[in-house]
Amino acid sequence: MGKSSKDKRDRYYRLAKEQGWRARSAFKLLQIEEEFNLFENVKHCVDLCAAPGSWSQVLSRKLIKEGQEDPPKIVAVDLQAMAPLKGIIQIQGDITKQSTAEQIISHFDGKYADLVICDGAPDVTGLHDMDEYIQAQLLLAVIPIALNITTHVLRPGGTFVAKIFRGKDITLLYAQLKIFFKHVTCCKPRSSRNSSIESFIVCQDYQPPKDYVPNMSNPLLDFSYNSTYNNLEGSNRVIVPFLAAGDLSSFDSDQTYPLDKNNNYQPLEPVQSPISPPYKTAIKKKRTNELNKNN
Ligand code: SAM
């Protein structure tokens, strides 16, 4: 697909380049923030699974003001290296590791985070069949992992926002989140395509159960559950509010828009190319025909 055809098909992809965002996902966070006022009084913030960094860019642009005496501390974590961003402390690390939680906290001078955001998704290899399989296996695991590290770094009363995939077992996830947060809302920003099962969970007022001790290996990550959780009835069944975010006059992410009425359209280069994308090896092998089954 040519650049112009993607620009035409995806208005947010084009807009991201026009406004200097590293990825179109920036609009998802901006639209969620519009609805929930996420950034009010935030002094310590964590961006989990942050690369290439468009959510961190939003945090940097919204939270850090010129000449601020005591600017907020923002820590971004990813397995991948990320190009530097103003005011963002970067950790190249794995969010499943206790040591990463400790590293985050070490930047907060004994304080805990007011806001933790996570746009995590399993890494892609570029081998589509394998990616599809891995994603199916890991999608449900990402949130419990992100929640695990969040319970180490979030202050009581704090907010946690994370990408979710509303699959058939989502009720179990809602139930887990309701144990830790007073308010749990499922939010679909307009920049997230309707054709995708992606949504975002906004969890407000962190109140861990009394005597809860954060632990990276705790049973939140229990793969042994089965779909009967989705059949729970009465007070055992947790249904959270569902909210659409983003002004109704904003672009519809499923619609195609004309490029330019006056024919002045110029394709734009990506704002920040990946430093070392995980799919680099796969692409190289594909080009040299090394992926051929007979090799
Ligand atoms: N929010 C980012 C932005 O706006 O630019 C996009 C995030 S991207 C969809 C998902 C990221 O999750 C990838 O960069 C990947 O490296 C990261 N990731 C996946 N598993 C991880 C883990 N265990 N620890 C840290 N990062 C992880």
Side-chain angles (χ1 to χ4, degrees):
M1 188 196 324
K3 269 184 205 156
S4 63
S5 108
K6 185 147 189 209
D7 279 358
K8 192 171 174 182
R9 208 172 44 92
D10 185 343
R11 192 60 184 90
Y12 286 98
Y13 172 78
R14 185 166 134 220
L15 207 56
K17 290 188 286 178
E18 285 168 9
Q19 295 184 4
W21 302 111
R22 290 180 181 183
R24 72 189 288 294
S25 1
F27 296 106
K28 299 176 191 169
L29 183 60
L30 286 166
Q31 289 171 347
I32 299 168
E33 140 65 14
E34 243 172 61
E35 194 64 48
F36 291 90
N37 215 5
L38 297 177
F39 300 151
E40 200 173 59
N41 300 326
V42 168
K43 296 299 284 177
H44 298 87
C45 179
V46 184
D47 182 5
L48 298 172
C49 301
S54 80
W55 279 26
S56 287
Q57 281 183 292
V58 172
L59 296 173
S60 170
R61 290 190 198 179
K62 291 276 178 183
L63 291 175
I64 298 175
K65 310 269 180 276
E66 216 49 63
Q68 226 167 355
E69 236 175 57
D70 184 18
K73 289 254 168 75
I74 305 167
V75 176
V77 185
D78 202 287
L79 288 170
Q80 309 293 329
M82 197 168 105
L85 276 171
K86 185 180 154 199
I88 306 289
I89 303 163
Q90 287 185 33
I91 297 175
Q92 191 172 353
D94 185 342
I95 65 162
T96 64
K97 298 274 188 305
Q98 170 109 18
S99 55
T100 308
E102 285 159 9
Q103 249 183 300
I104 296 171
I105 287 295
S106 74
H107 290 285
F108 286 167
D109 311 318
K111 301 266 178 26
Y112 283 79
D114 306 299
L115 172 67
V116 177
I117 57 178
C118 176
D119 190 22
D123 265 351
V124 288
T125 61
L127 305 171
H128 295 304
D129 290 348
M130 187 148 95
D131 284 341
E132 216 174 286
Y133 174 76
I134 295 176
Q135 295 230 352
Q137 297 300 306
L138 287 185
L139 286 180
L140 269 174
V142 171
I143 293 289
I145 290 169
L147 181 60
N148 263 355
I149 191 163
T150 298
T151 61
H152 282 77
V153 301
L154 191 65
R155 70 161 171 79
T159 303
F160 171 55
V161 177
K163 174 158 69 193
I164 58 165
F165 292 86
R166 274 178 305 125
K168 65 181 172 54
D169 294 315
I170 197 67
T171 324
L172 169 64
L173 185 61
Y174 291 154
Q176 287 177 334
L177 291 167
K178 284 289 278 184
I179 297 171
F180 292 90
F181 295 89
K182 223 163 167 184
H183 308 288
V184 177
T185 309
C186 180
C187 175
K188 180 83 174 170
R190 264 177 80 78
S191 48
S192 171
R193 294 184 190 92
N194 282 323
S195 47
S196 156
I197 58 166
E198 168 193 90
S199 283
F200 292 83
I201 198 85
V202 181
C203 308
Q204 293 165 297
D205 200 352
Y206 176 55
Q207 299 294 345
K210 203 169 158 281
D211 304 329
Y212 172 74
V213 181
N215 178 350
M216 283 302 202
S217 58
N218 78 24
L220 278 178
L221 246 184
D222 176 6
F223 294 103
S224 63
Y225 69 86
N226 59 45
S227 56
T228 53
Y229 275 96
N230 223 26
N231 300 330
L232 295 174
E233 297 291 345
S235 58
N236 287 347
R237 184 170 176 83
V238 178
I239 297 175
V240 306
F242 184 88
L243 208 76
D247 199 303
L248 281 182
S249 59
S250 56
F251 293 111
D252 180 339
S253 49
D254 290 288
Q255 201 174 316
T256 297
Y257 291 90
L259 287 171
D260 189 330
K261 285 194 270 297
N262 308 319
N263 254 351
N264 291 328
Y265 167 74
Q266 291 287 338
L268 299 170
E269 287 306 313
V271 172
Q272 174 67 55
S273 301
I275 298 181
S276 172
Y279 46 81
K280 206 163 139 188
T281 319
I283 291 176
K284 198 170 148 213
K285 285 191 169 172
K286 201 169 177 188
R287 283 195 185 132
T288 51
N289 221 13
E290 283 174 73
L291 292 181
N292 193 323
K293 276 190 193 140
N294 301 326
N295 283 341

